[in-house]
Coordinates of all heavy atoms in Angstrom, one line a residue:
A1 N 147.9 67.8 111.7 CA 147.9 67.2 113.0 C 148.8 66.0 113.0 O 148.9 65.3 112.0 CB 146.5 66.8 113.4
P2 N 149.5 65.8 114.1 CA 150.4 64.6 114.2 C 149.7 63.3 114.1 O 148.5 63.2 114.5 CB 151.1 64.8 115.5 CG 150.2 65.7 116.3 CD 149.5 66.6 115.3
V3 N 150.3 62.3 113.5 CA 149.7 61.0 113.4 C 150.0 60.3 114.7 O 151.1 60.2 115.2 CB 150.3 60.2 112.2 CG1 149.8 58.8 112.1 CG2 150.1 61.0 110.9
P4 N 148.9 59.7 115.3 CA 149.1 58.9 116.5 C 150.1 57.7 116.3 O 150.0 57.1 115.3 CB 147.7 58.5 116.9 CG 146.8 59.3 116.1 CD 147.5 59.7 114.9
D5 N 150.8 57.4 117.3 CA 151.7 56.3 117.3 C 150.9 55.0 117.6 O 150.4 54.8 118.7 CB 152.8 56.5 118.4 CG 153.9 55.4 118.3 OD1 153.6 54.3 117.6 OD2 155.0 55.6 118.8
K6 N 150.8 54.1 116.7 CA 149.9 53.0 116.8 C 150.5 51.9 117.7 O 149.8 51.0 118.1 CB 149.6 52.4 115.4 CG 148.8 53.3 114.6 CD 148.5 52.8 113.2 CE 147.7 53.8 112.4 NZ 147.3 53.3 111.1
R7 N 151.8 52.0 118.0 CA 152.4 50.9 118.8 C 151.7 50.8 120.2 O 151.7 49.7 120.8 CB 153.9 51.2 119.0 CG 154.6 51.0 117.7 CD 156.1 51.3 117.9 NE 156.2 52.8 118.2 CZ 157.3 53.3 118.5 NH1 158.4 52.6 118.6 NH2 157.4 54.6 118.8
I8 N 151.2 51.9 120.7 CA 150.6 51.8 122.1 C 149.3 51.0 122.1 O 148.9 50.7 123.2 CB 150.4 53.2 122.6 CG1 149.4 54.0 121.8 CG2 151.7 54.0 122.8 CD1 149.0 55.4 122.3
F9 N 148.8 50.6 121.0 CA 147.5 49.9 121.0 C 147.7 48.5 120.5 O 146.7 47.8 120.1 CB 146.5 50.6 120.2 CG 146.1 52.0 120.7 CD1 146.6 53.1 120.1 CD2 145.5 52.1 121.9 CE1 146.3 54.4 120.6 CE2 145.2 53.4 122.4 CZ 145.6 54.5 121.8
K10 N 148.9 48.0 120.5 CA 149.2 46.6 120.0 C 148.5 45.5 120.7 O 148.2 44.5 120.2 CB 150.7 46.3 120.0 CG 151.5 47.1 118.9 CD 151.2 46.5 117.5 CE 152.1 47.2 116.5 NZ 151.7 46.9 115.2
L11 N 148.2 45.7 122.0 CA 147.6 44.7 122.8 C 146.1 44.5 122.5 O 145.5 43.5 122.8 CB 147.7 45.1 124.3 CG 149.1 45.1 124.9 CD1 149.1 45.6 126.3 CD2 149.7 43.7 124.8
G12 N 145.5 45.5 121.8 CA 144.1 45.4 121.4 C 143.1 45.4 122.5 O 142.0 44.8 122.4
I13 N 143.4 46.0 123.6 CA 142.5 46.0 124.8 C 141.4 47.1 124.5 O 141.7 48.2 124.3 CB 143.3 46.3 126.1 CG1 144.3 45.3 126.3 CG2 142.3 46.5 127.2 CD1 145.3 45.6 127.4
P14 N 140.2 46.6 124.5 CA 139.1 47.6 124.3 C 139.0 48.6 125.5 O 139.3 48.3 126.6 CB 137.8 46.8 124.3 CG 138.3 45.4 124.0 CD 139.7 45.3 124.6
I15 N 138.7 49.8 125.1 CA 138.6 50.9 126.1 C 137.2 51.5 126.1 O 136.7 51.8 125.0 CB 139.6 52.0 125.7 CG1 141.1 51.4 125.8 CG2 139.5 53.2 126.7 CD1 142.1 52.3 125.1
L16 N 136.7 51.7 127.3 CA 135.4 52.3 127.4 C 135.6 53.7 128.2 O 136.0 53.7 129.3 CB 134.4 51.4 128.2 CG 133.0 52.0 128.5 CD1 132.3 52.3 127.2 CD2 132.2 51.1 129.4
G17 N 135.2 54.7 127.5 CA 135.2 56.1 128.1 C 133.8 56.4 128.5 O 132.9 56.4 127.7
I18 N 133.6 56.8 129.8 CA 132.3 57.1 130.3 C 132.3 58.6 130.7 O 133.2 59.0 131.5 CB 131.8 56.2 131.4 CG1 131.9 54.8 131.0 CG2 130.4 56.6 131.9 CD1 131.6 53.8 132.2
V19 N 131.3 59.4 130.2 CA 131.3 60.8 130.7 C 129.8 61.1 131.1 O 128.9 60.5 130.7 CB 131.7 61.7 129.5 CG1 133.1 61.6 129.2 CG2 130.8 61.6 128.3
S20 N 129.8 62.1 132.0 CA 128.5 62.6 132.6 C 128.4 64.0 132.3 O 129.4 64.8 132.3 CB 128.6 62.3 134.1 OG 127.5 63.0 134.7
P21 N 127.2 64.5 132.0 CA 127.1 65.9 131.8 C 127.4 66.8 133.0 O 127.7 68.0 132.9 CB 125.6 66.1 131.4 CG 124.9 64.8 131.5 CD 126.0 63.8 131.8
Q22 N 127.4 66.2 134.2 CA 127.8 66.9 135.4 C 129.3 67.0 135.6 O 129.7 67.4 136.6 CB 127.1 66.2 136.6 CG 125.6 66.5 136.7 CD 124.8 65.6 135.7 OE1 125.3 64.6 135.2 NE2 123.5 65.9 135.6
S23 N 130.1 66.5 134.6 CA 131.5 66.6 134.8 C 132.0 67.5 133.7 O 132.6 67.1 132.7 CB 132.1 65.2 134.6 OG 133.5 65.2 134.7
P24 N 131.9 68.8 133.9 CA 132.3 69.8 132.8 C 133.8 69.8 132.5 O 134.1 70.3 131.4 CB 131.8 71.1 133.4 CG 131.8 70.9 134.9 CD 131.5 69.5 135.1
M25 N 134.6 69.2 133.3 CA 136.0 69.2 133.1 C 136.4 68.3 131.9 O 137.3 68.6 131.1 CB 136.8 68.8 134.3 CG 138.3 68.8 134.2 SD 138.9 68.5 135.8 CE 140.6 68.1 135.4
F26 N 135.7 67.2 131.8 CA 136.1 66.2 130.8 C 135.0 66.0 129.7 O 135.4 65.8 128.5 CB 136.3 64.8 131.5 CG 137.4 64.8 132.5 CD1 137.1 64.8 133.8 CD2 138.7 64.8 132.1 CE1 138.1 64.8 134.7 CE2 139.7 64.8 133.0 CZ 139.4 64.8 134.3
T27 N 133.8 66.1 130.0 CA 132.7 65.8 129.0 C 132.8 66.5 127.7 O 132.7 65.9 126.7 CB 131.3 66.0 129.7 OG1 131.2 65.1 130.8 CG2 130.2 65.7 128.7
P28 N 133.0 67.8 127.7 CA 133.0 68.5 126.4 C 134.1 68.1 125.4 O 133.9 68.2 124.2 CB 133.3 70.0 126.8 CG 132.9 70.1 128.2 CD 133.2 68.8 128.8
S29 N 135.2 67.6 125.8 CA 136.3 67.2 124.9 C 136.7 65.8 124.9 O 137.5 65.3 124.2 CB 137.5 68.1 125.2 OG 138.0 67.8 126.5
Y30 N 136.0 64.9 125.7 CA 136.4 63.6 125.9 C 136.3 62.8 124.5 O 137.0 61.8 124.3 CB 135.7 62.8 127.0 CG 136.4 61.6 127.5 CD1 137.6 61.8 128.2 CD2 136.0 60.3 127.1 CE1 138.3 60.6 128.6 CE2 136.7 59.2 127.5 CZ 137.9 59.4 128.3 OH 138.6 58.3 128.7
H31 N 135.4 63.2 123.7 CA 135.2 62.5 122.4 C 136.5 62.6 121.6 O 136.8 61.8 120.8 CB 134.0 63.1 121.6 CG 134.2 64.5 121.2 ND1 134.1 65.6 122.0 CD2 134.6 65.0 120.0 CE1 134.3 66.7 121.3 NE2 134.7 66.3 120.1
C32 N 137.3 63.7 121.8 CA 138.6 63.8 121.1 C 139.6 62.8 121.6 O 140.3 62.2 120.7 CB 139.2 65.2 121.4 SG 138.2 66.6 120.8
T33 N 139.6 62.4 122.8 CA 140.4 61.3 123.3 C 140.0 60.0 122.7 O 140.9 59.2 122.2 CB 140.3 61.2 124.9 OG1 140.7 62.4 125.4 CG2 141.1 60.1 125.4
I34 N 138.7 59.7 122.6 CA 138.2 58.5 122.0 C 138.6 58.5 120.5 O 139.1 57.5 120.0 CB 136.7 58.4 122.2 CG1 136.3 58.3 123.6 CG2 136.2 57.2 121.4 CD1 136.9 57.2 124.4
D35 N 138.4 59.6 119.8 CA 138.8 59.7 118.4 C 140.3 59.4 118.2 O 140.7 58.7 117.3 CB 138.4 61.0 117.8 CG 136.9 61.2 117.7 OD1 136.2 60.2 117.7 OD2 136.5 62.4 117.5
F36 N 141.1 60.0 119.1 CA 142.6 59.8 119.0 C 142.9 58.4 119.1 O 143.7 57.8 118.3 CB 143.3 60.7 120.1 CG 144.8 60.5 120.1 CD1 145.6 61.2 119.3 CD2 145.3 59.5 121.0 CE1 147.0 61.0 119.4 CE2 146.7 59.3 121.0 CZ 147.5 60.1 120.2
I37 N 142.4 57.7 120.1 CA 142.7 56.3 120.3 C 142.3 55.5 119.1 O 143.1 54.6 118.6 CB 141.9 55.8 121.6 CG1 142.5 56.4 122.8 CG2 142.0 54.2 121.7 CD1 141.7 56.2 124.1
N38 N 141.1 55.7 118.6 CA 140.6 55.0 117.4 C 141.5 55.3 116.1 O 141.8 54.4 115.3 CB 139.2 55.2 117.1 CG 138.3 54.6 118.2 OD1 138.7 53.6 118.8 ND2 137.2 55.2 118.5
Q39 N 141.9 56.5 116.0 CA 142.8 56.9 114.8 C 144.1 56.2 114.9 O 144.7 55.9 113.9 CB 143.0 58.4 114.8 CG 141.7 59.1 114.3 CD 141.9 60.6 114.4 OE1 143.1 61.1 114.6 NE2 140.9 61.4 114.4
A40 N 144.5 55.9 116.1 CA 145.8 55.2 116.3 C 145.7 53.7 116.2 O 146.7 53.0 116.5 CB 146.4 55.6 117.7
G41 N 144.5 53.2 115.9 CA 144.3 51.8 115.7 C 143.7 51.1 117.0 O 143.7 49.9 117.0
G42 N 143.3 51.9 117.9 CA 142.8 51.3 119.1 C 141.3 51.0 119.0 O 140.7 51.2 117.9
N43 N 140.7 50.5 120.0 CA 139.3 50.1 120.0 C 138.6 50.8 121.2 O 138.5 50.2 122.3 CB 139.2 48.6 120.1 CG 137.7 48.2 120.1 OD1 136.8 48.9 119.8 ND2 137.5 46.9 120.5
A44 N 138.2 52.1 121.0 CA 137.6 52.8 122.1 C 136.2 53.2 121.8 O 135.8 53.4 120.7 CB 138.4 54.1 122.3
T45 N 135.4 53.2 122.9 CA 134.0 53.5 122.8 C 133.7 54.6 123.8 O 134.1 54.5 124.9 CB 133.1 52.2 123.1 OG1 133.5 51.2 122.2 CG2 131.6 52.5 123.0
L46 N 132.9 55.5 123.4 CA 132.4 56.6 124.3 C 131.0 56.3 124.7 O 130.1 56.1 123.9 CB 132.5 57.9 123.6 CG 132.0 59.1 124.4 CD1 132.9 59.3 125.7 CD2 132.1 60.4 123.6
L47 N 130.8 56.3 126.0 CA 129.4 56.2 126.6 C 129.1 57.5 127.3 O 129.7 57.8 128.3 CB 129.3 55.0 127.5 CG 128.0 54.8 128.3 CD1 126.9 54.5 127.3 CD2 128.2 53.7 129.3
R48 N 128.1 58.2 126.8 CA 127.6 59.4 127.4 C 126.4 59.0 128.3 O 125.4 58.5 127.7 CB 127.2 60.4 126.4 CG 128.3 60.9 125.5 CD 127.8 61.9 124.4 NE 128.9 62.4 123.7 CZ 129.3 61.9 122.5 NH1 128.7 60.9 122.0 NH2 130.3 62.5 121.9
L49 N 126.6 59.1 129.6 CA 125.5 58.6 130.5 C 124.1 59.1 130.2 O 123.2 58.3 130.0 CB 125.9 58.9 131.9 CG 127.0 58.1 132.5 CD1 127.3 58.5 134.0 CD2 126.8 56.6 132.5
K50 N 124.0 60.4 130.1 CA 122.7 60.9 129.8 C 122.1 60.7 128.4 O 121.0 60.1 128.3 CB 122.7 62.5 130.1 CG 121.4 63.1 130.0 CD 120.5 62.7 131.1 CE 119.2 63.6 131.2 NZ 118.3 63.2 132.2
E51 N 123.0 60.9 127.4 CA 122.5 60.8 126.0 C 122.3 59.4 125.6 O 121.4 59.0 124.9 CB 123.5 61.5 125.1 CG 123.5 63.0 125.3 CD 124.5 63.5 126.3 OE1 125.0 62.6 127.1 OE2 124.9 64.6 126.3
D52 N 123.3 58.5 126.0 CA 123.2 57.1 125.5 C 122.5 56.1 126.4 O 121.9 55.1 125.9 CB 124.7 56.6 125.3 CG 125.5 57.4 124.3 OD1 124.9 58.0 123.4 OD2 126.7 57.5 124.5
A53 N 122.4 56.4 127.7 CA 121.8 55.5 128.6 C 120.7 56.1 129.5 O 120.1 55.4 130.2 CB 122.9 54.9 129.5
G54 N 120.5 57.4 129.3 CA 119.4 58.0 130.1 C 119.7 58.1 131.6 O 118.8 58.1 132.4
I55 N 120.9 58.0 132.0 CA 121.3 58.0 133.4 C 121.9 59.4 133.8 O 122.8 59.9 133.1 CB 122.3 56.9 133.7 CG1 121.7 55.5 133.5 CG2 122.9 57.0 135.1 CD1 122.6 54.4 133.7
D56 N 121.5 59.9 134.9 CA 122.1 61.1 135.4 C 123.3 60.7 136.3 O 123.1 60.0 137.3 CB 121.1 61.9 136.2 CG 120.1 62.6 135.4 OD1 120.5 63.2 134.3 OD2 118.9 62.7 135.8
G57 N 124.4 61.1 135.9 CA 125.6 60.8 136.8 C 125.8 62.0 137.6 O 125.2 63.1 137.4
E58 N 126.7 61.9 138.6 CA 126.9 63.0 139.5 C 128.2 63.7 139.2 O 128.6 64.7 139.9 CB 126.9 62.5 141.0 CG 125.6 62.1 141.4 CD 125.5 61.7 142.9 OE1 126.4 62.2 143.6 OE2 124.7 60.9 143.2
G59 N 129.0 63.2 138.3 CA 130.2 63.9 137.9 C 131.4 63.0 137.7 O 131.2 61.8 137.2
H60 N 132.6 63.4 138.0 CA 133.8 62.7 137.6 C 134.0 61.4 138.4 O 134.4 60.4 137.8 CB 135.0 63.6 137.8 CG 136.3 63.0 137.4 ND1 136.6 62.5 136.1 CD2 137.4 62.7 138.2 CE1 137.8 62.0 136.1 NE2 138.3 62.1 137.3
F61 N 133.6 61.3 139.6 CA 133.8 60.1 140.5 C 132.6 59.3 140.5 O 131.8 59.3 141.5 CB 134.3 60.5 141.9 CG 135.6 61.2 141.8 CD1 135.8 62.6 142.0 CD2 136.8 60.5 141.6 CE1 137.0 63.2 141.9 CE2 138.0 61.1 141.5 CZ 138.1 62.5 141.7
M62 N 132.3 58.5 139.5 CA 131.1 57.8 139.3 C 130.9 56.7 140.3 O 129.8 56.3 140.7 CB 131.0 57.2 137.9 CG 130.9 58.3 136.9 SD 130.9 57.7 135.2 CE 131.7 59.0 134.4
Q63 N 132.0 56.2 140.8 CA 131.9 55.1 141.8 C 131.3 55.6 143.1 O 130.7 54.9 143.9 CB 133.3 54.5 142.1 CG 134.2 55.4 142.9 CD 135.1 56.3 141.9 OE1 134.7 56.4 140.8 NE2 136.1 56.8 142.5
G64 N 131.3 56.9 143.3 CA 130.6 57.5 144.5 C 129.3 58.1 144.3 O 128.6 58.6 145.2
S65 N 128.7 57.9 143.0 CA 127.4 58.4 142.7 C 126.3 57.6 143.4 O 126.5 56.4 143.6 CB 127.2 58.4 141.2 OG 128.1 59.3 140.5
Y66 N 125.2 58.2 143.6 CA 124.1 57.6 144.2 C 123.6 56.4 143.4 O 123.0 55.4 143.9 CB 122.9 58.5 144.5 CG 122.3 59.1 143.2 CD1 121.2 58.4 142.7 CD2 122.8 60.2 142.6 CE1 120.6 58.9 141.5 CE2 122.2 60.7 141.4 CZ 121.2 60.0 140.9 OH 120.6 60.5 139.7
N67 N 123.8 56.5 142.1 CA 123.4 55.5 141.1 C 124.5 54.7 140.6 O 124.5 54.3 139.4 CB 122.5 56.1 140.0 CG 123.2 57.1 139.3 OD1 124.3 57.6 139.6 ND2 122.6 57.6 138.2
N68 N 125.6 54.5 141.4 CA 126.8 53.8 140.8 C 126.5 52.4 140.4 O 127.2 51.8 139.5 CB 127.9 53.8 141.9 CG 127.6 53.2 143.2 OD1 126.6 52.5 143.3 ND2 128.4 53.5 144.2
G69 N 125.5 51.7 140.9 CA 125.1 50.4 140.5 C 124.6 50.4 139.1 O 124.9 49.4 138.3
E70 N 123.8 51.4 138.7 CA 123.4 51.5 137.3 C 124.5 51.7 136.3 O 124.6 51.1 135.3 CB 122.4 52.7 137.1 CG 121.1 52.5 137.8 CD 120.2 53.7 137.6 OE1 119.6 53.9 136.5 OE2 120.2 54.6 138.5
I71 N 125.5 52.5 136.8 CA 126.6 52.8 135.9 C 127.5 51.5 135.8 O 128.0 51.2 134.7 CB 127.4 54.0 136.5 CG1 126.6 55.2 136.4 CG2 128.7 54.2 135.7 CD1 127.1 56.4 137.2
A72 N 127.7 50.8 136.9 CA 128.4 49.6 136.9 C 127.8 48.5 136.0 O 128.5 47.8 135.3 CB 128.6 49.0 138.3
Q73 N 126.5 48.5 136.0 CA 125.8 47.5 135.2 C 126.0 47.8 133.7 O 126.2 46.9 132.9 CB 124.2 47.6 135.4 CG 123.5 46.5 134.7 CD 123.9 45.1 135.0 OE1 124.2 44.8 136.2 NE2 124.0 44.3 134.0
L74 N 126.1 49.1 133.3 CA 126.4 49.5 131.9 C 127.8 49.0 131.6 O 128.1 48.5 130.5 CB 126.4 51.0 131.7 CG 125.0 51.6 131.8 CD1 125.1 53.1 131.7 CD2 124.2 51.1 130.6
M75 N 128.7 49.1 132.5 CA 130.1 48.6 132.3 C 130.1 47.1 132.1 O 130.8 46.6 131.3 CB 131.0 49.1 133.4 CG 131.2 50.6 133.5 SD 131.9 51.1 135.0 CE 133.6 50.6 134.8
I76 N 129.4 46.4 133.0 CA 129.4 45.0 132.9 C 128.8 44.5 131.6 O 129.3 43.6 130.9 CB 128.5 44.4 134.1 CG1 129.3 44.6 135.4 CG2 128.2 42.9 133.8 CD1 128.4 44.4 136.6
E77 N 127.7 45.1 131.1 CA 127.1 44.8 129.8 C 128.1 45.0 128.7 O 128.1 44.2 127.8 CB 125.8 45.6 129.7 CG 124.7 45.1 130.6 CD 123.5 46.0 130.6 OE1 123.4 47.0 129.8 OE2 122.6 45.8 131.5
W78 N 128.8 46.1 128.8 CA 129.8 46.4 127.7 C 130.9 45.4 127.7 O 131.3 44.9 126.6 CB 130.4 47.8 128.0 CG 131.4 48.2 127.0 CD1 131.2 48.7 125.7 CD2 132.8 48.1 127.1 NE1 132.4 48.9 125.1 CE2 133.4 48.6 126.0 CE3 133.7 47.7 128.2 CZ2 134.8 48.6 125.8 CZ3 135.0 47.7 128.0 CH2 135.6 48.2 126.8
M79 N 131.4 45.0 128.9 CA 132.4 44.0 129.0 C 132.0 42.6 128.5 O 132.7 41.9 127.9 CB 133.0 43.8 130.4 CG 133.8 45.0 130.8 SD 134.6 44.8 132.4 CE 133.2 45.2 133.5
Q80 N 130.7 42.3 128.7 CA 130.2 41.0 128.2 C 130.1 40.9 126.7 O 130.1 39.8 126.1 CB 128.8 40.8 128.8 CG 128.9 40.5 130.3 CD 127.5 40.4 131.0 OE1 126.5 40.9 130.5 NE2 127.5 39.7 132.1
K81 N 130.1 42.1 126.0 CA 130.0 42.1 124.6 C 131.4 41.9 123.9 O 131.5 41.7 122.7 CB 129.4 43.4 124.1 CG 128.0 43.6 124.4 CD 127.4 44.9 124.0 CE 126.0 45.1 124.5 NZ 125.5 46.5 124.2
I82 N 132.5 42.1 124.7 CA 133.8 42.0 124.2 C 134.1 40.5 123.8 O 133.9 39.6 124.5 CB 134.9 42.4 125.3 CG1 134.7 43.9 125.6 CG2 136.3 42.2 124.8 CD1 135.5 44.4 126.7
E83 N 134.7 40.4 122.6 CA 135.0 39.0 122.1 C 136.5 38.7 122.4 O 137.3 39.5 122.4 CB 134.7 39.0 120.6 CG 133.2 39.2 120.4 CD 132.9 39.1 118.9 OE1 133.8 38.8 118.1 OE2 131.8 39.4 118.5

């Protein structure tokens, strides 16, 4: 497999990837994106709504979900942990 180019992560900006089981287009393989970023020297975290937080999302457009406030709260809590 090709080695990821680490230059794209020089800024050191943390990345949060959020997936929902109701988003079959991205959920099954999104962990590969997170792994790629981390292998390239990035700082990426994967949050699975159902498995990690017990939240049912409605799919890909989480800002339009009925429980978007709960999802936003998870994002806020994650950002507050960034040093």
